[in-house]
């Protein structure tokens, strides 16, 4: 199917971002309902979905910028800014609450010196809330990147963080 | 001789150190020159014993747990590869009371088989359901699912056979099977266990659904929080394709069915079926108005069967053993078995699959052994963040869909989150509204605005004096009624359940907080 040309001028993009986005869109744009797979692909390649890349994604997908922006901002998982080197997801859901997640959450925030959605000053960790990691039988749970950790306590978190630092 | 040792690759077992245990066992076996094969199985669901290591012996599988890597040397010293006695010995796995007193139909193979091995799946009865289905016409398959009394295990408990029949009866054209694997309810993890521990059963169930209604394409819409499940599913799909169980001419039948995993974006609302379809189409996951039903106009406007993981994973055994076999488990209009998940503050957290009809008390006290903290049980939230808080005084309620509706609750996905007597129920009520505000898709006003106002009103109740509290409580109940009656979907329509149940059963917490705030 011929796509009508989107004539709006695209903002300048660093070459590596442009190349990464085009690699993903070329590979995935013809899937039915391709936008989510494309956004996952871009975030996997770059660690985030740069705001400046939205017009390029929109053009390649034959969507409006508003459509693409609307989807990115709707889903908690997609980020518009780079994260820290590791992302710590802390479960805030009921099962974890029943096992001390509120205390754990406060401890982690204090220990890292950041609130949710923020990155530590040294760029090492981004802290994100999550509503259920499916590890409810081993509450409370956190996930670091995609490594799940169960029965977490403030002391175990500190031990983990210290081990990470060495 | 060669020994077979099982170390789970289930995400929860991994979260407790199973990977390090597997490495330590391999290293220690090599050091001692013992020939072992390590199978990375799913979890048996006895999570207080994870990581649980099993060995195959002539009398059956023998379990040890919970095993840490520091225990491995001592296990070898105790000759555990021959079932030797050790402080962590649990005896024959099948004889552990928690497991022995279950009725595992959907979970028959979970924790037993190697989830990456199609041969193992087949050796344990896999694909017999599909083989039976391929000798039936679509209408007969749909009839079997209807006769079995299988209801959606995702929350609404709608009869699966009726959904399938609606889709089946539409003639021709592209149709889809969509698996809702966006299990976002706190306290539920049975979907994850199936996908990681027996992914082929889900693939088989979806294939049977495709054959039944004439759909040639399936999608598994999977939570982004489940990276382990993604890997397990993709490995299983590739194996099923390679063996001719997916693709064109499935199992030599001339029928075709393809399957793809699609990752979600971390939005709770996408567990609602029409939001999920919007998301699969690459849009914001906003709820659709119904009608039209997805079975008539679903994904990309085409007829679509959308079911939860457990629902689809239960289909193979119905086709293999017949509708009556499945239906004869259960009570009333709740037929078959429910995989119940014990979570929260509970001593023995884990998966219990039982026929409908046992009581909440049997589960919490019998299987679960009471709270992990040793304090009294105060409340149990059943069915996820939108489920009511059941007070300990109602523990004798029977586990079936209608009995739960009768006490103002819902069984939902069968997740049970236990709280001890230190819980602040006003805080839990506030959390329910806060959660709804964060996760609302924004399409309808009662949910979008009502949830934010709900948080504010609860804050005023706990901060206020007696007169203010009474006035605000009237407001809160009115707001809850508006949300119940006026919301477009279950998120806004059910968020009042935990709030109202907290108000009704734990009213003192709203007052106690106020007293504390005033003093």
């Amino acid at each position: 199917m011929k796509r009508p040309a989107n004539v709006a001028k695209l903002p300048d993009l660093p070459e590596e971002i442009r190349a990464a986005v085009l690699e993903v869109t070329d590979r995935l744009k013809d899937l039915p309902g391709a936008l989510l797979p494309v956004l996952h692909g871009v975030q996997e390649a770059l660690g985030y979905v740069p705001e400046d890349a939205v017009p390029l994604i929109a053009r390649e997908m034959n969507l409006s910028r508003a459509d693409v922006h609307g989807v990115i901002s709707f889903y908690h998982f997609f980020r518009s800014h780079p994260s820290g080197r590791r992302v710590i997801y802390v479960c805030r859901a009921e099962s974890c609450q029943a096992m001390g997640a509120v205390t754990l959450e406060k401890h982690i925030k204090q220990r890292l010196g950041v609130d949710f959605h923020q990155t530590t000053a040294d760029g090492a960790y981004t802290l994100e809330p999550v509503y259920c990691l499916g590890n409810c039988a081993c509450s409370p749970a956190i996930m670091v990147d995609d490594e799940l950790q169960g029965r977490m306590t403030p002391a175990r978190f500190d031990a983990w963080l210290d081990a990470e630092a060495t | 001789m060669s020994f077979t040792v099982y170390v789970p690759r289930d995400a929860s077992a991994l979260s407790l150190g199973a990977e390090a245990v597997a490495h330590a066992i391999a290293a220690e076996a090599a050091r001692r020159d013992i020939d072992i094969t390590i199978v990375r199985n799913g979890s048996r669901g006895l999570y207080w014993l994870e990581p649980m290591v099993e060995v195959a012996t002539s009398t059956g599988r023998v379990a040890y747990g919970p095993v840490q890597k520091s225990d491995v040397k001592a296990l070898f010293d105790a000759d555990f590869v021959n079932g030797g006695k050790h402080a962590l010995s649990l005896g024959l796995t099948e004889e552990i009371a928690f497991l022995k007193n279950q009725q595992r139909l959907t979970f028959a193979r979970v924790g037993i088989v190697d989830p990456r091995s199609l041969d193992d799946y087949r050796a344990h009865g896999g694909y017999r359901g599909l083989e039976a289905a391929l000798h039936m016409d679509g209408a007969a398959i749909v009839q079997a699912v209807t006769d079995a009394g299988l209801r959606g295990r995702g929350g609404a408990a709608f009869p699966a056979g009726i959904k399938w029949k609606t889709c089946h009866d539409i003639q021709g054209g592209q149709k889809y099977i969509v698996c809702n694997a966006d299990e976002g309810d706190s306290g539920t993890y049975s979907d994850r266990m199936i996908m990681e521990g027996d992914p082929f059963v889900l693939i088989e169930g979806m294939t049977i659904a495709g054959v039944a209604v004439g759909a040639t394409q399936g999608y598994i819409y999977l939570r982004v929080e489940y990276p382990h499940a993604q890997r397990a599913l993709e490995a299983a799909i590739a194996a099923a394709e390679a063996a001719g169980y997916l693709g064109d001419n499935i199992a030599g039948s001339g029928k075709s069915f393809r399957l793809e995993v699609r990752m979600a974006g971390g939005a709770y609302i996408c567990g609602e079926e029409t939001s999920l379809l919007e998301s699969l189409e690459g849009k914001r996951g906003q709820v659709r108005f119904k009608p039209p039903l997805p079975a008539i106009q679903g994904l990309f406007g085409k007829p679509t069967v959308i079911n939860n993981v457990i629902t689809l994973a239960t289909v193979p055994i119905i086709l293999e053993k017949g509708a009556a076999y499945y239906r004869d488990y259960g009570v009333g209009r709740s037929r078959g078995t429910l995989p119940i998940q014990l979570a929260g503050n509970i001593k023995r957290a884990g998966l219990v699959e039982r026929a409908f009809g046992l009581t909440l008390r049997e589960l919490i006290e019998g299987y679960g052994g009471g709270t992990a903290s040793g304090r009294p049980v105060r409340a149990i939230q059943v069915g996820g963040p939108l489920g009511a808080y059941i007070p300990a005084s109602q523990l004798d309620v029977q586990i079936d869909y209608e009995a739960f509706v009768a006490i103002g609750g819902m069984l939902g996905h069968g997740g049970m989150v236990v709280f001890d007597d230190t819980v602040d129920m006003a805080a839990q009520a506030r959390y329910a509204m806060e959660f709804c505000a964060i996760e609302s898709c924004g399409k309808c006003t009662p949910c979008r605005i009502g949830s934010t106002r709900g948080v504010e009103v609860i804050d005023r109740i706990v901060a206020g004096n007696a007169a203010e509290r009474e006035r605000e409580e009237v407001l809160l109940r009115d707001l809850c009624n508006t949300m119940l009656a006026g919301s477009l979907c279950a998120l806004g329509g059910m968020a009042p359940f935990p709030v109202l149940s907290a108000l009704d059963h734990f009213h003192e917490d709203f007052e106690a907080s106020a007293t504390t705030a005033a003093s």
Side-chain angles (χ1 to χ4, degrees):
Chain A
M1 188 178 82
K2 188 175 180 326
R3 294 164 192 270
N6 185 338
V7 294
K9 189 174 173 336
L10 294 177
D12 289 333
L13 264 182
E15 189 45 41
E16 69 275 16
I17 291 181
R18 171 183 299 276
V21 168
L22 289 176
E23 186 279 323
V24 172
T25 51
D26 285 351
R27 184 159 46 87
L28 299 176
K29 69 182 173 189
D30 291 324
L31 283 178
L35 186 53
L36 257 69
V38 162
L39 295 175
H40 275 294
V42 170
Q43 184 153 308
E44 206 172 295
L46 299 170
Y48 69 117
V49 184
E51 259 169 42
D52 288 350
V54 169
L56 179 62
I57 295 170
R59 188 191 69 184
E60 292 301 305
M61 304 293 296
N62 197 21
L63 294 167
S64 76
R65 294 177 185 194
D67 285 333
V68 177
H69 173 79
V71 168
I72 294 169
S73 58
F74 183 85
Y75 295 97
H76 301 305
F77 183 75
F78 299 122
R79 58 178 81 252
S80 295
H81 299 283
S83 65
R85 287 187 292 280
R86 305 197 78 175
V87 182
I88 301 176
Y89 298 92
V90 180
C91 183
R92 296 194 68 213
E94 288 88 344
S95 177
C96 288
Q97 289 177 32
M99 290 299 276
V102 177
T103 308
L104 177 68
E105 175 186 320
K106 279 186 194 143
H107 176 84
I108 293 176
K109 285 180 181 173
Q110 195 188 14
R111 178 72 207 263
L112 296 177
V114 294
D115 204 343
F116 282 132
H117 310 299
Q118 294 178 350
T119 300
T120 54
D122 62 358
Y125 302 105
T126 297
L127 190 62
E128 296 286 354
V130 64
Y131 297 87
C132 201
L133 291 165
N135 199 22
C136 321
C138 311
S139 295
I142 69 169
M143 188 155 79
V144 182
D145 299 331
D146 65 0
E147 176 196 323
L148 196 56
Q149 302 191 32
R151 295 188 199 134
M152 187 49 62
T153 61
R156 283 191 61 196
F157 180 80
D158 288 348
W160 172 80
L161 202 61
D162 294 343
E164 279 277 291
T166 55
Chain B
M1 83 178 263
S2 175
F3 301 95
T4 304
V5 178
Y6 298 84
V7 185
R9 199 191 260 129
D10 171 271
S12 283
L14 293 176
S15 86
L16 301 173
E19 196 64 28
V21 171
H23 286 302
I25 289 174
E28 191 64 24
R31 206 175 64 78
R32 296 178 187 233
D33 206 18
I34 299 174
D35 179 18
I36 61 165
T37 304
I38 298 180
V39 175
R40 305 304 302 272
N41 55 336
S43 173
R44 298 274 196 158
L46 284 58
Y47 282 111
W48 74 101
L49 297 173
E50 290 287 6
M52 189 173 91
V53 172
E54 292 175 83
V55 293
T57 72
S58 54
T59 49
R61 278 158 71 161
V62 173
Y64 299 83
V67 177
Q68 288 300 306
K69 67 176 175 189
S70 53
D71 299 317
V72 167
K73 194 175 167 298
L75 282 170
F76 275 94
D77 288 344
D79 194 27
F80 87 113
V81 288
N82 281 309
K85 283 273 176 246
H86 180 272
L88 298 176
S89 290
L90 300 164
L92 289 169
T93 315
E94 304 286 347
E95 295 298 316
I96 299 172
F98 187 94
L99 196 58
K100 191 180 184 181
N101 300 317
Q102 297 199 25
Q103 293 158 309
R104 289 200 168 185
L105 302 182
T106 308
F107 275 73
R109 277 175 297 264
V110 176
I112 294 174
V113 295
D114 176 354
R116 302 269 166 106
S117 166
L118 183 58
D119 288 341
D120 208 9
Y121 181 64
R122 294 198 52 184
H124 286 82
Y127 276 121
R128 285 187 202 151
L130 178 65
E131 279 150 24
L134 288 173
H135 290 99
M136 299 158 73
D137 67 7
I141 302 171
V142 171
Q143 194 60 47
V145 172
T146 307
D147 291 345
L150 180 65
R151 292 164 72 174
R153 297 288 189 252
F158 191 79
I162 294 179
K163 260 189 192 180
W164 288 30
K165 184 172 191 309
T166 308
C167 189
H168 168 270
D169 288 352
I170 296 173
Q171 296 301 311
Q174 178 70 53
K175 296 178 187 177
Y176 296 100
I177 306 297
V178 172
C179 171
N180 182 348
D182 198 7
E183 166 190 74
D185 289 346
S186 177
T188 59
Y189 47 84
S190 59
D191 292 4
R192 185 185 62 64
M193 285 182 71
I194 282 278
M195 292 186 287
E196 293 176 355
D198 192 14
F200 290 110
V201 81
L202 174 59
I203 295 169
E204 183 182 351
M206 291 183 73
T207 309
I208 293 169
V211 170
V213 304
T216 53
Q217 174 70 46
Y219 291 98
I220 299 172
Y221 182 86
L222 178 66
R223 302 194 73 205
V224 73
E225 294 85 353
Y226 284 0
H228 299 91
Q230 182 187 10
R231 286 193 280 274
L233 285 170
E234 285 179 345
I237 288 171
E241 275 172 1
Y245 282 106
L246 284 174
D248 292 327
N249 194 21
I250 42 170
S253 65
K255 295 191 162 66
S256 60
F257 188 69
R258 292 167 197 288
L259 196 49
E260 191 183 322
V261 178
R262 282 288 176 92
M263 295 311 283
Y268 177 77
I269 190 61
C270 292
E272 195 283 335
E273 62 180 10
T274 62
S275 297
L276 190 158
L277 294 174
E278 290 286 300
S279 185
L280 263 181
E281 291 180 5
K283 302 176 201 157
R284 296 164 67 92
Q286 287 192 302
V287 174
R288 290 179 185 170
F289 291 98
K290 286 193 278 193
L293 296 169
I296 296 165
Q297 261 181 50
L299 187 63
F300 305 117
K302 304 293 184 189
T304 301
V305 164
I306 174 165
N307 281 135
N308 174 267
V309 173
I310 299 296
T311 318
L312 289 163
T314 300
V315 166
I317 196 163
I318 292 172
L319 271 294
E320 181 197 342
K321 304 236 169 154
Y325 176 84
Y326 189 78
R327 188 195 59 219
D328 290 347
Y329 289 86
V331 291
R333 287 171 50 213
S334 303
R335 309 311 313 179
T337 59
L338 181 68
I340 298 156
Q341 302 123 87
L342 301 179
N345 194 335
I346 190 151
K347 197 168 168 186
R348 293 190 289 268
L351 183 108
V352 179
E353 182 174 350
R354 279 282 303 257
F356 288 93
L358 79 169
T359 67
L360 201 49
R361 187 183 302 281
E362 288 175 76
L363 278 170
I364 306 297
E365 294 178 359
Y367 286 92
T371 62
S373 61
R375 302 183 65 93
V377 172
R378 182 150 186 247
I380 303 127
Q381 190 177 32
V382 181
L386 311 177
Y389 284 96
I390 312 286
S393 60
Q394 290 183 336
L395 272 174
D396 292 310
V397 65
Q398 180 171 288
I399 307 283
D400 79 63
Y401 293 115
E402 279 68 39
F404 263 73
V405 170
I407 62 162
M410 64 140 187
L411 204 42
H413 196 317
M416 318 254 160
V417 178
V418 179
F419 292 81
D420 72 10
D421 62 352
T422 61
V423 65
D424 175 353
M425 293 304 298
Q428 296 308 123
R430 184 189 193 279
Y431 174 83
M433 283 293 189
E434 186 190 10
F435 179 78
C436 183
I438 293 169
E439 298 294 344
S440 175
C441 83
K443 186 157 179 167
C444 72
T445 315
C447 174
R448 182 182 68 241
I449 312 241
S451 51
T452 297
R453 293 291 171 261
V455 173
E456 295 165 0
V457 178
I458 293 171
D459 282 345
R460 290 204 296 272
I461 290 176
V462 295
N465 59 35
E468 286 164 357
R469 194 165 62 236
E470 211 166 289
R471 202 170 54 237
E472 297 291 347
E473 189 182 324
V474 172
L475 190 60
L476 181 59
R477 287 183 184 276
D478 187 47
L479 175 66
C480 283
N481 279 331
T482 305
M483 290 175 71
L484 280 167
S487 298
L488 197 51
C489 82
L491 179 54
M494 289 175 58
F497 284 9
V499 178
L500 291 171
S501 60
L503 268 177
D504 290 341
H505 300 298
F506 307 95
H507 202 270
E508 62 275 20
D509 285 20
F510 295 82
E511 298 159 28
S513 311
T515 322
T516 320
S519 62

